[in-house]
Amino acid sequence: MAEEKPKLHRQAMCDRLAMEFQDDWIVNLGVGMPTLCSNYVDPTKDLIFHSENGVIGYGPLAPAGEEDRHLVNAGGQNVVPMPGMAIVHHADSFALIRGGMVDVTVMGAYEVAENGDFANWRIPNRKGGGIGGAMDLAACAKQVFIAMEHTTRDGKPRMLKRCALPITAPGVVTLVATDLGLFKITPDGFELREHAPGWNPEEIQELTEADLIIPSDLKEFRFRD
Amino acid sequence: MAEEKPKLHRQAMCDRLAMEFQDDWIVNLGVGMPTLCSNYVDPTKDLIFHSENGVIGYGPLAPAGEEDRHLVNAGGQNVVPMPGMAIVHHADSFALIRGGMVDVTVMGAYEVAENGDFANWRIPNRKGGGIGGAMDLAACAKQVFIAMEHTTRDGKPRMLKRCALPITAPGVVTLVATDLGLFKITPDGFELREHAPGWNPEEIQELTEADLIIPSDLKEFRFRD
Amino acid sequence: MKNKIYQTFDEAVADVADGSTFMSPGFSGVGVPRNLLAALHRQGASGLTGISNNCGTLDEKVDVGTLIEAGQVKKMYAAFTSPTHPSQISPFVRMYNEGTIDAETVPQGTLAERIRAAASGIGAFYTPASVGTELAEGKEHRKINGRTYVLEYPLHADYALIRAWRADEFGNLQFRLAQRNFNPIMAMAARVTVVEIEDEIVPVGELDPDKIHVPGVYVNRLVKIPPDGIFD
Amino acid sequence: MKNKIYQTFDEAVADVADGSTFMSPGFSGVGVPRNLLAALHRQGASGLTGISNNCGTLDEKVDVGTLIEAGQVKKMYAAFTSPTHPSQISPFVRMYNEGTIDAETVPQGTLAERIRAAASGIGAFYTPASVGTELAEGKEHRKINGRTYVLEYPLHADYALIRAWRADEFGNLQFRLAQRNFNPIMAMAARVTVVEIEDEIVPVGELDPDKIHVPGVYVNRLVKIPPDGIFD
C-alpha cells in the first residue's frame, strides 16, 4: 500500500521551503508547521522574520528560563530579539504587509488548488473562522508558500483542481511542500519539482486530485546538507 | 472719519479669543496673528498646544540663545518643550486633527461669511494656494475661531453675506475677533457680542457687509485684566 | 492638569454602561488588559460589543472570553471567531454556535486598519485583503490601478481598555516589545481610554517626548497594577 | 547583512533617473534632507515629480526649491503652491505662473495620509478635509454616517530623501523632536529610501527596539552628514 511508505517529515518539508528564501528577505511564518522553517539556517543568507504583532527581526525560540514574556512571535512562542529588531504597532505591522514588504509568507492549508487558490481559515458547516492575518498576508506578500500534508487523515487529496472550502486568497500560491514532494504552481497547474524518496510520480498523482505536470528534470526531494 | 478712530490691537483680539479656551483644551494656532493667542496665559487653565508638524504640548517661544533647532511650532518659531510633550509624525498628527481631538483652531482669514464659511488660502487670479493644514483643521476641529482685521487695507468689508474668495471650509466658524469687536456666528448670522471701545454698533455695521445682530446684552470688548 | 490616576480598576470602569462598545487589545496573551477586563467582569455591564483580535482563549487567564462566558457581550468583531484547532471549544465558540452571541470575522490587518481609521477620522478605505473570498461578499469592490480592493469602514468604540508598560501622569504611554500590538491604535480610537500600567506611572516630564508610543491627550484614566494584580 | 552605508551623498542618489518621483520631507525648515537634495541638484536628473509640504522657501538654504529653480522638476504635489505672503515670489511661484511647472495643491493632512496610504497598501480613502471647497471639485464624494467625505488616492514615490537624527547600520531610524514630521511616512512609502544622518550611525543592536521610528527594512541607503555638511 502506497500510504504505508515513509513520507517526508514536517521539518524536511519546511527545510525545503526555507531553502528557497533569498538573502535579505522579509519572511512571515504562519502558526504551526510553518514556524519550523526558522529551524533551517543558511549562514550565507540573512533573513528578517516578521510577525503580525509588529515584531520585525526576531530570532530563534527563547531557551527555557530565558523567555521575555513581552516578546512572542505570531504563534505566541517566546523568541529572542535579534540585533536590529524593531517593534511597530498592529496597524503599522499590517501597513508593512499590505505595502508589499513581505517577500514570502509560509502558511499551512487545508487545500491548495492548481490555480493557486488555497483554503486555510474556515471549515464548512461551522460558524466563523480563524482568519487571523492570513488574508492580508496572502493577498499582499510577494510569494505565498504552503506547507501541508498531501492528504487528509482519511486519505483524501488536498491538492485539488479547485478548492472546496472557502478560500483565503485567489491565485496566490507559488510553491507547495507536502510530505510527498515539492510542487510549483505554474499557469498550467501543479508541477511536481521534487518527489519524496521512494515515491514515483504515478503514486503521487494517485493521491492528487489535480493533474500533475511531470517535468523531464524531475528530481528527488532535497534535504538539508 | 470712523476709520481713523483707534481700533483693537492684534494682541487684544487674540487675548479675547484665548479667554474662550477651556481647561484641558487642545489648541491649534495658525501661522501669523493667531500665534499671539499663546501670549495670553490664564493660570486656572491648562492648555495643550498642538502643531501640525506633530508636536503635542509645546510651550512659549524659546528665549534667544536657547532655541533648539529641532523644535518649532507650525509657524516655524522655536518653542520650548513643556513637561508631558509628545511627538508624532505628520500622518499621526493629522489623524489627531481628523479624529476630532482638536478643541479649537484659531486661524487668520481674508473673509468670513455669516453662514460660517471662511476663506484664507487662495487669492483669485493667482495660481495655486497656501492651504497648509487649514482645510483639515477647519473641517475637523470642534471649533474654528478667526482672528482678522475687520476690513481690507482699502476699507472693504471682510465680514460678508457670502465669501467671494474660494473657501477653506463651509459653515465651520463659530467665533470671530476683529479689530472692531467680537462676533459669534449664530444660525441667523453674525451676532456682535462685544464692540471695540469708542465704536458703536452702527459704525461697525457700516464696515460690515452682512447684517449684524445686535443683542440687548451687547458689551464692550473685554481686555486682559 | 486633570488628575487621570485612579486607585482601583473598579473605579476606572465604573461608568461603562450597558450596550457600550469596548476595545480589548492583546496578541497571543501579551498586552492584554486583564485587570481592567476583570473589573469590567465584576462591574457586570451587559449587552456589550467587543472589538478584539480573538474571542478568548482556553487558558485560565482573564481575557475578553471572561466577559463573553458571563454573557456580558452581545457581539464581537474579531480575526478569530473559531478555534485554530477544532478541539478548542471556547465559551465563545459554544455560544456562537448556539446563536447566543453575534460576531463579525474581520481579517486581522483590516481589523487594525478599521481601528486606525476610527482614530484618524477616515470615513472608509479600500484594502486588498479578503478580495475573492467569502468575507468580501456583499462588500463594495473597486478596481484601482488594476488591483481590486474592498471598501471597509472604521470601528469606533466607547472604551478602550489598554495594557501599557509605563506612563507619565499626563497619560503618555510606552509599551515593551510585543506588548504594543493593538494597544496604541485602540487607545487612539476610543472615546474613553483606560490604561493599566505594569511598571510605573512617572511624574510628567520624565518621559522623552521622542519615545512616547501614545500621546497623553488620548488617555483618560490610568491605574497602576498593584503588586497583587495580574501581570502576565 | 547588506551594506547600506554610502560614503557620499552623490553616490547615494547617483541612480535617480530622469522622470523619477521623489519625496522630500521637512516642515518649517526642520527635517529637510538638504545634503541629499544638494546632491540630487548636482546629479542633474530632470523631469522629476516632487512630493513635499512646500515648493521651496526664499531663504538661501538648499531645499526642494533648489531643484525647481534648476528646472529639474516638472510637477509638485504640495500643501503650499503659492506663497503665504503675496510678496514672496519663490522660483516655484514664478515658474508656476509662467506655466513651466505643474502642481497639485493638496491639503496637508490629505498629503500626509496619501503618503501613508502608499506605504500601507491602501487603495484609496475617504477624508472630510476639503469637502465643500474648490479642491474637492471633480472628486468623488460619499456620505458616510451623515458626514460627507472625498475620495483620495495614495501618493507613491521612487525615492524618499530623508533626514534623521540617528540610525543603526541596518537602517533603523530615530528622529529628534519636530524633525520627525513627514520623514517616517515618506521613508515607508518610497521604493528606495535614502537617509542623511545628523548625529551618528551606530552598530546594529545599539538602538532599543521599542524606540525606533522607522524600521530598518524600509531603509536602503544611509549617509552620515560629514562635519562640513549641511546640518541646519
Side-chain angles (χ1 to χ4, degrees), chain D residues 9-30:
Chain D
F9 302 110
D10 296 281
E11 291 169 74
V13 299
D15 66 353
V16 177
D18 291 353
S20 298
T21 297
F22 72 100
M23 289 174 168
S24 178
F27 183 96
S28 279
V30 180

PDB file of all heavy atoms in Angstrom, chain D residues 9-30:
ATOM      1  N   PHE D   9      26.903  61.608  -0.468  1.00  0.00           N
ATOM      2  CA  PHE D   9      25.527  61.873  -0.899  1.00  0.00           C
ATOM      3  C   PHE D   9      25.391  61.635  -2.400  1.00  0.00           C
ATOM      4  O   PHE D   9      24.365  61.159  -2.879  1.00  0.00           O
ATOM      5  CB  PHE D   9      25.131  63.310  -0.540  1.00  0.00           C
ATOM      6  CG  PHE D   9      25.251  63.587   0.933  1.00  0.00           C
ATOM      7  CD1 PHE D   9      26.231  64.423   1.430  1.00  0.00           C
ATOM      8  CD2 PHE D   9      24.367  62.996   1.829  1.00  0.00           C
ATOM      9  CE1 PHE D   9      26.345  64.664   2.791  1.00  0.00           C
ATOM     10  CE2 PHE D   9      24.474  63.225   3.197  1.00  0.00           C
ATOM     11  CZ  PHE D   9      25.471  64.061   3.675  1.00  0.00           C
ATOM     12  N   ASP D  10      26.468  61.980  -3.128  1.00  0.00           N
ATOM     13  CA  ASP D  10      26.411  61.831  -4.591  1.00  0.00           C
ATOM     14  C   ASP D  10      26.224  60.371  -4.995  1.00  0.00           C
ATOM     15  O   ASP D  10      25.410  60.066  -5.857  1.00  0.00           O
ATOM     16  CB  ASP D  10      27.679  62.426  -5.213  1.00  0.00           C
ATOM     17  CG  ASP D  10      27.771  63.921  -4.958  1.00  0.00           C
ATOM     18  OD1 ASP D  10      27.101  64.682  -5.669  1.00  0.00           O
ATOM     19  OD2 ASP D  10      28.463  64.314  -4.002  1.00  0.00           O
ATOM     20  N   GLU D  11      26.986  59.470  -4.346  1.00  0.00           N
ATOM     21  CA  GLU D  11      26.786  58.048  -4.643  1.00  0.00           C
ATOM     22  C   GLU D  11      25.372  57.608  -4.293  1.00  0.00           C
ATOM     23  O   GLU D  11      24.777  56.786  -4.984  1.00  0.00           O
ATOM     24  CB  GLU D  11      27.746  57.186  -3.804  1.00  0.00           C
ATOM     25  CG  GLU D  11      29.208  57.291  -4.164  1.00  0.00           C
ATOM     26  CD  GLU D  11      30.042  56.598  -3.075  1.00  0.00           C
ATOM     27  OE1 GLU D  11      30.042  55.361  -3.036  1.00  0.00           O
ATOM     28  OE2 GLU D  11      30.642  57.321  -2.236  1.00  0.00           O
ATOM     29  N   ALA D  12      24.851  58.156  -3.206  1.00  0.00           N
ATOM     30  CA  ALA D  12      23.560  57.685  -2.689  1.00  0.00           C
ATOM     31  C   ALA D  12      22.390  58.071  -3.587  1.00  0.00           C
ATOM     32  O   ALA D  12      21.333  57.451  -3.517  1.00  0.00           O
ATOM     33  CB  ALA D  12      23.335  58.220  -1.274  1.00  0.00           C
ATOM     34  N   VAL D  13      22.578  59.089  -4.430  1.00  0.00           N
ATOM     35  CA  VAL D  13      21.479  59.486  -5.328  1.00  0.00           C
ATOM     36  C   VAL D  13      21.872  59.330  -6.800  1.00  0.00           C
ATOM     37  O   VAL D  13      21.162  59.798  -7.698  1.00  0.00           O
ATOM     38  CB  VAL D  13      21.015  60.946  -5.074  1.00  0.00           C
ATOM     39  CG1 VAL D  13      20.507  61.093  -3.642  1.00  0.00           C
ATOM     40  CG2 VAL D  13      22.114  61.944  -5.386  1.00  0.00           C
ATOM     41  N   ALA D  14      22.996  58.650  -7.033  1.00  0.00           N
ATOM     42  CA  ALA D  14      23.533  58.563  -8.403  1.00  0.00           C
ATOM     43  C   ALA D  14      22.550  57.933  -9.380  1.00  0.00           C
ATOM     44  O   ALA D  14      22.514  58.284 -10.558  1.00  0.00           O
ATOM     45  CB  ALA D  14      24.849  57.770  -8.394  1.00  0.00           C
ATOM     46  N   ASP D  15      21.729  56.996  -8.895  1.00  0.00           N
ATOM     47  CA  ASP D  15      20.869  56.260  -9.843  1.00  0.00           C
ATOM     48  C   ASP D  15      19.494  56.876 -10.041  1.00  0.00           C
ATOM     49  O   ASP D  15      18.646  56.278 -10.705  1.00  0.00           O
ATOM     50  CB  ASP D  15      20.746  54.802  -9.405  1.00  0.00           C
ATOM     51  CG  ASP D  15      20.008  54.657  -8.076  1.00  0.00           C
ATOM     52  OD1 ASP D  15      19.717  55.685  -7.431  1.00  0.00           O
ATOM     53  OD2 ASP D  15      19.721  53.515  -7.680  1.00  0.00           O
ATOM     54  N   VAL D  16      19.241  58.040  -9.477  1.00  0.00           N
ATOM     55  CA  VAL D  16      17.925  58.666  -9.679  1.00  0.00           C
ATOM     56  C   VAL D  16      17.788  59.042 -11.157  1.00  0.00           C
ATOM     57  O   VAL D  16      18.540  59.868 -11.676  1.00  0.00           O
ATOM     58  CB  VAL D  16      17.747  59.916  -8.783  1.00  0.00           C
ATOM     59  CG1 VAL D  16      16.408  60.590  -9.070  1.00  0.00           C
ATOM     60  CG2 VAL D  16      17.855  59.543  -7.315  1.00  0.00           C
ATOM     61  N   ALA D  17      16.828  58.390 -11.823  1.00  0.00           N
ATOM     62  CA  ALA D  17      16.702  58.579 -13.271  1.00  0.00           C
ATOM     63  C   ALA D  17      15.809  59.769 -13.591  1.00  0.00           C
ATOM     64  O   ALA D  17      14.968  60.164 -12.773  1.00  0.00           O
ATOM     65  CB  ALA D  17      16.123  57.312 -13.904  1.00  0.00           C
ATOM     66  N   ASP D  18      15.986  60.330 -14.766  1.00  0.00           N
ATOM     67  CA  ASP D  18      15.066  61.360 -15.251  1.00  0.00           C
ATOM     68  C   ASP D  18      13.641  60.811 -15.160  1.00  0.00           C
ATOM     69  O   ASP D  18      13.402  59.636 -15.446  1.00  0.00           O
ATOM     70  CB  ASP D  18      15.355  61.702 -16.722  1.00  0.00           C
ATOM     71  CG  ASP D  18      16.685  62.431 -16.900  1.00  0.00           C
ATOM     72  OD1 ASP D  18      17.307  62.794 -15.878  1.00  0.00           O
ATOM     73  OD2 ASP D  18      17.100  62.601 -18.052  1.00  0.00           O
ATOM     74  N   GLY D  19      12.727  61.647 -14.753  1.00  0.00           N
ATOM     75  CA  GLY D  19      11.326  61.229 -14.705  1.00  0.00           C
ATOM     76  C   GLY D  19      10.924  60.548 -13.415  1.00  0.00           C
ATOM     77  O   GLY D  19       9.768  60.161 -13.253  1.00  0.00           O
ATOM     78  N   SER D  20      11.862  60.403 -12.485  1.00  0.00           N
ATOM     79  CA  SER D  20      11.533  59.763 -11.207  1.00  0.00           C
ATOM     80  C   SER D  20      10.616  60.648 -10.358  1.00  0.00           C
ATOM     81  O   SER D  20      10.567  61.860 -10.540  1.00  0.00           O
ATOM     82  CB  SER D  20      12.809  59.496 -10.386  1.00  0.00           C
ATOM     83  OG  SER D  20      13.663  58.617 -11.069  1.00  0.00           O
ATOM     84  N   THR D  21       9.931  59.990  -9.430  1.00  0.00           N
ATOM     85  CA  THR D  21       9.166  60.710  -8.413  1.00  0.00           C
ATOM     86  C   THR D  21       9.945  60.645  -7.105  1.00  0.00           C
ATOM     87  O   THR D  21      10.440  59.578  -6.740  1.00  0.00           O
ATOM     88  CB  THR D  21       7.781  60.069  -8.231  1.00  0.00           C
ATOM     89  OG1 THR D  21       7.061  60.199  -9.461  1.00  0.00           O
ATOM     90  CG2 THR D  21       6.996  60.749  -7.127  1.00  0.00           C
ATOM     91  N   PHE D  22      10.068  61.785  -6.439  1.00  0.00           N
ATOM     92  CA  PHE D  22      10.793  61.786  -5.166  1.00  0.00           C
ATOM     93  C   PHE D  22       9.976  62.487  -4.096  1.00  0.00           C
ATOM     94  O   PHE D  22       9.176  63.363  -4.367  1.00  0.00           O
ATOM     95  CB  PHE D  22      12.172  62.452  -5.309  1.00  0.00           C
ATOM     96  CG  PHE D  22      12.127  63.945  -5.474  1.00  0.00           C
ATOM     97  CD1 PHE D  22      12.374  64.792  -4.401  1.00  0.00           C
ATOM     98  CD2 PHE D  22      11.820  64.514  -6.704  1.00  0.00           C
ATOM     99  CE1 PHE D  22      12.327  66.177  -4.550  1.00  0.00           C
ATOM    100  CE2 PHE D  22      11.765  65.896  -6.863  1.00  0.00           C
ATOM    101  CZ  PHE D  22      12.023  66.729  -5.787  1.00  0.00           C
ATOM    102  N   MET D  23      10.197  62.059  -2.861  1.00  0.00           N
ATOM    103  CA  MET D  23       9.573  62.689  -1.712  1.00  0.00           C
ATOM    104  C   MET D  23      10.624  63.445  -0.927  1.00  0.00           C
ATOM    105  O   MET D  23      11.725  62.929  -0.713  1.00  0.00           O
ATOM    106  CB  MET D  23       8.942  61.633  -0.807  1.00  0.00           C
ATOM    107  CG  MET D  23       7.703  61.001  -1.423  1.00  0.00           C
ATOM    108  SD  MET D  23       7.094  59.644  -0.422  1.00  0.00           S
ATOM    109  CE  MET D  23       5.484  59.375  -1.200  1.00  0.00           C
ATOM    110  N   SER D  24      10.258  64.638  -0.491  1.00  0.00           N
ATOM    111  CA  SER D  24      11.185  65.469   0.265  1.00  0.00           C
ATOM    112  C   SER D  24      10.473  66.007   1.499  1.00  0.00           C
ATOM    113  O   SER D  24       9.598  66.851   1.394  1.00  0.00           O
ATOM    114  CB  SER D  24      11.669  66.610  -0.631  1.00  0.00           C
ATOM    115  OG  SER D  24      12.535  67.451   0.083  1.00  0.00           O
ATOM    116  N   PRO D  25      10.827  65.485   2.674  1.00  0.00           N
ATOM    117  CA  PRO D  25      10.141  65.881   3.901  1.00  0.00           C
ATOM    118  C   PRO D  25      10.640  67.233   4.416  1.00  0.00           C
ATOM    119  O   PRO D  25      11.397  67.932   3.744  1.00  0.00           O
ATOM    120  CB  PRO D  25      10.513  64.756   4.868  1.00  0.00           C
ATOM    121  CG  PRO D  25      11.840  64.289   4.369  1.00  0.00           C
ATOM    122  CD  PRO D  25      11.829  64.465   2.881  1.00  0.00           C
ATOM    123  N   GLY D  26      10.225  67.555   5.607  1.00  0.00           N
ATOM    124  CA  GLY D  26      10.611  68.810   6.227  1.00  0.00           C
ATOM    125  C   GLY D  26       9.388  69.675   6.444  1.00  0.00           C
ATOM    126  O   GLY D  26       8.401  69.598   5.705  1.00  0.00           O
ATOM    127  N   PHE D  27       9.467  70.472   7.515  1.00  0.00           N
ATOM    128  CA  PHE D  27       8.368  71.374   7.882  1.00  0.00           C
ATOM    129  C   PHE D  27       9.012  72.565   8.558  1.00  0.00           C
ATOM    130  O   PHE D  27       9.761  72.394   9.516  1.00  0.00           O
ATOM    131  CB  PHE D  27       7.399  70.652   8.824  1.00  0.00           C
ATOM    132  CG  PHE D  27       6.190  71.465   9.217  1.00  0.00           C
ATOM    133  CD1 PHE D  27       4.992  71.330   8.537  1.00  0.00           C
ATOM    134  CD2 PHE D  27       6.254  72.365  10.271  1.00  0.00           C
ATOM    135  CE1 PHE D  27       3.872  72.064   8.895  1.00  0.00           C
ATOM    136  CE2 PHE D  27       5.141  73.116  10.634  1.00  0.00           C
ATOM    137  CZ  PHE D  27       3.942  72.966   9.945  1.00  0.00           C
ATOM    138  N   SER D  28       8.745  73.739   8.013  1.00  0.00           N
ATOM    139  CA  SER D  28       9.364  74.964   8.528  1.00  0.00           C
ATOM    140  C   SER D  28      10.878  74.834   8.625  1.00  0.00           C
ATOM    141  O   SER D  28      11.496  75.294   9.584  1.00  0.00           O
ATOM    142  CB  SER D  28       8.797  75.323   9.902  1.00  0.00           C
ATOM    143  OG  SER D  28       7.567  75.988   9.737  1.00  0.00           O
ATOM    144  N   GLY D  29      11.454  74.173   7.649  1.00  0.00           N
ATOM    145  CA  GLY D  29      12.912  74.092   7.579  1.00  0.00           C
ATOM    146  C   GLY D  29      13.537  73.036   8.459  1.00  0.00           C
ATOM    147  O   GLY D  29      14.748  72.831   8.424  1.00  0.00           O
ATOM    148  N   VAL D  30      12.736  72.315   9.238  1.00  0.00           N
ATOM    149  CA  VAL D  30      13.272  71.285  10.132  1.00  0.00           C
ATOM    150  C   VAL D  30      13.047  69.907   9.504  1.00  0.00           C
ATOM    151  O   VAL D  30      11.954  69.622   9.015  1.00  0.00           O
ATOM    152  CB  VAL D  30      12.585  71.353  11.520  1.00  0.00           C
ATOM    153  CG1 VAL D  30      13.151  70.283  12.457  1.00  0.00           C
ATOM    154  CG2 VAL D  30      12.760  72.734  12.120  1.00  0.00           C
TER     155      VAL D  30
END
